[in-house]
Amino acid sequence: MYDVVLLTLGSERDAPGGGCGDGDACCGGAPEDTGKPAGPPDGQRCETPRVPVLACADALTARGARVETVVARSDAEVDEVLARLDAPARPDGLAWPDPDSKTRLVVAVASDAQLRAVVRRLVRRYAPPPSRRPAELAGDRTVPDLPPVGVLPLDPARGGPHRDLAAQLGLPRDPAAVAAAVLDGGVRRLDLLRNDGGSVTLDGALLGAADEAGRPLHWRGRVEVDDAVLSDGADPILACAIGNAGGYATLDSLPLLTAPDPADGRVEVAVVVPVPTRPRLGRKKKIRYEVRRARGRAVAVIPRDERVPFLDDGVEGELSRKRSWWTEPGAWAVFTG
């Protein structure tokens, strides 16, 4: 039978002597430019096991699994958990995941940002430096197959227009169903977006913002997808969606991404450019929105403005220099029902 670790990301408020982050912040999901961790939504606290975690632990125990619940308040504490997924020591000294591990990981998440935080630490642990790249690593990958994780949403009844990644993937939300998936279910491998800022993206990123009145703020930048140029930097851009999955497929009912697929080895990118139309006699000029799309292995955004706000898996940040994302096909995985 398996050893199962139920991991929850905690904040520093209840950690003796402080911890990682500020106020309600949860560890690991840091906005790239500020370094501040991303907290749970709506002021939720995650220092003590919540009801879904206890229910999942009970369901796992009832099936004979040895269960440990861990509340990690820092990246170091997350890393201590992930070390249990290591393979035996290799001659080259690289940390490597054990494909035959009897330890399984379930991550209790209040947001996609928290799931990303754990996958980010998996990448940090197992990605070899370029100078020590092993021969068995696939040519289109910089990381080995990461260990599958079980996803336990802490809000099974979450609704609204924005579906979290678990809902998009059709993963179970009931704690007992999550336990069954971890012990008996299959494994679905998914693409991962890495970026040159040192982070990862599971769902997608949306570049752009609106003012306090809800009016979109235009910005300029060069956007390239492989060899396709969606903007050369001269056009005002309303928004740029970078999609691995479909969390940012629409913007105020405007379709951005047409067919985001988190397992097709491609990233889909959409750029929205406002285009004034020629007015007819006696009528005011109108604005239509042109959506330019492309799919490929990698995308680069070079902002011409000083700072461009963005959301990446729900984490806020500001882009002030070139940022590139690239696809790691099938790099991470989830347990499915």
Side-chain angles (χ1 to χ4, degrees):
M1 186 46 68
Y2 295 105
D3 294 318
V4 180
V5 181
L6 263 167
L7 175 63
T8 303
L9 300 188
S11 80
E12 57 106 14
R13 284 193 298 178
D14 292 342
C20 68
D22 302 322
D24 295 336
C26 271
C27 64
E32 278 78 5
D33 284 356
T34 65
K36 293 182 180 179
D42 302 324
Q44 296 173 1
R45 297 175 65 180
C46 50
E47 284 73 23
T48 56
R50 292 171 56 181
V51 171
V53 176
L54 298 175
C56 188
D58 288 344
L60 289 164
T61 301
R63 293 285 309 278
R66 295 177 292 270
V67 182
E68 180 182 356
T69 59
V70 176
V71 179
R73 298 181 178 88
S74 68
D75 285 345
E77 291 180 348
V78 173
D79 292 345
E80 289 179 6
V81 171
L82 301 184
R84 307 183 196 189
L85 306 175
D86 287 359
R90 294 166 51 104
D92 57 14
L94 294 174
W96 211 252
D98 184 358
D100 301 317
S101 176
K102 295 301 180 183
T103 298
R104 296 201 161 179
L105 175 65
V106 179
V107 183
V109 296
S111 66
D112 288 344
Q114 293 184 337
L115 179 59
R116 181 184 85 151
V118 175
V119 176
R120 181 170 177 257
R121 298 312 300 176
L122 282 169
V123 170
R124 290 288 183 96
R125 182 167 194 84
Y126 295 124
S131 61
R132 300 173 61 194
R133 180 184 177 90
E136 66 265 34
L137 191 59
D140 60 353
R141 293 266 292 274
T142 65
V143 293
D145 285 353
L146 300 176
V149 298
V151 180
L152 174 63
L154 290 177
D155 185 4
R158 180 178 178 183
H162 181 84
R163 297 194 306 158
D164 61 18
L165 191 57
Q168 293 181 57
L169 297 175
L171 300 180
R173 305 187 75 90
D174 177 76
V178 172
V182 170
L183 297 180
D184 303 323
V187 171
R188 181 181 176 187
R189 300 217 66 87
L190 302 163
D191 301 337
L192 178 70
L193 293 181
R194 293 193 67 185
N195 69 57
D196 54 7
S199 191
V200 301
T201 302
L202 307 181
D203 185 352
L206 182 66
L207 286 74
D211 62 18
E212 294 180 355
R215 295 183 294 265
L217 299 173
H218 298 162
W219 55 279
R220 284 177 168 80
R222 184 177 179 87
V223 182
E224 303 174 351
V225 183
D226 292 350
D227 295 328
V229 178
L230 298 185
S231 174
D232 62 5
D235 298 316
I237 297 175
L238 176 68
C240 174
I242 298 170
N244 188 42
Y248 299 107
T250 61
L251 178 65
D252 293 335
S253 75
L254 177 66
L256 300 181
L257 308 176
T258 58
D261 183 346
D264 67 352
R266 293 290 183 268
V267 57
E268 184 175 1
V269 182
V271 169
V272 183
V273 177
V275 178
T277 59
R278 179 177 298 177
R280 296 181 180 178
L281 185 64
R283 295 188 179 184
K284 294 183 179 180
K285 183 187 299 184
K286 292 185 177 181
I287 300 294
R288 67 177 179 86
Y289 296 107
E290 177 180 286
V291 182
R292 305 168 183 172
R293 302 181 178 93
R295 299 171 63 84
R297 284 290 314 279
V299 53
V301 178
I302 307 173
R304 297 290 168 86
D305 295 342
E306 184 176 351
R307 290 188 178 275
V308 178
F310 68 83
L311 287 174
D312 193 330
D313 282 345
V315 179
E316 295 181 359
E318 288 186 330
L319 197 63
S320 59
R321 57 186 179 276
K322 179 180 178 180
R323 175 64 50 83
S324 297
W325 290 259
W326 67 90
T327 304
E328 300 273 342
W332 76 292
V334 292
F335 292 110
T336 61

